[in-house]
Amino acid sequence: LVLWCTHSICLGFHSIPVVEGQNDVYSAIYIRFPITPKVIIYDFACQLAPYCLMQEALYFQHTQFLIDEMHAHDHSQCGQASFASNAM
């Protein structure tokens, strides 16, 4: 898992030796950012958002979780607010 900023600069990475889970993404963000990012774009943001909010609601309270365009077509049951193409 690699964390990128909007300027295409790698901010860090998190090695995942087995199947990627929500805790891997959550941990990578929580450990590396003293202040939460305003926007997190991830292929399963629809599942990551509730997981992060259950773990650290105050930390993630102002974060917008979005699904990237490449993966959005597989999320037919997700609300339109979850898609990066509708938010940016």
Side-chain angles (χ1 to χ4, degrees):
L1 174 70
V2 180
L3 303 170
W4 298 92
C5 77
T6 57
H7 303 96
S8 298
I9 297 172
C10 177
L11 301 175
F13 66 92
H14 181 78
S15 179
I16 304 171
V18 291
V19 177
E20 177 183 348
Q22 294 169 339
N23 189 53
D24 292 305
V25 180
Y26 160 79
S27 296
I29 294 164
Y30 190 72
I31 290 168
R32 287 184 170 45
F33 294 94
I35 299 171
T36 185
K38 291 180 184 177
V39 178
I40 295 173
I41 301 174
Y42 179 63
D43 60 351
F44 273 113
C46 54
Q47 298 298 317
L48 181 62
Y51 182 84
C52 289
L53 290 168
M54 290 287 290
Q55 301 300 315
E56 287 291 336
L58 292 176
Y59 179 77
F60 288 102
Q61 68 183 339
H62 299 296
T63 301
Q64 184 177 18
F65 293 85
L66 300 172
I67 303 166
D68 62 280
E69 264 189 81
M70 186 171 76
H71 294 95
H73 68 279
D74 290 332
H75 293 264
S76 59
Q77 300 298 313
C78 298
Q80 292 295 311
S82 296
F83 301 135
S85 59
N86 293 335
M88 300 189 159

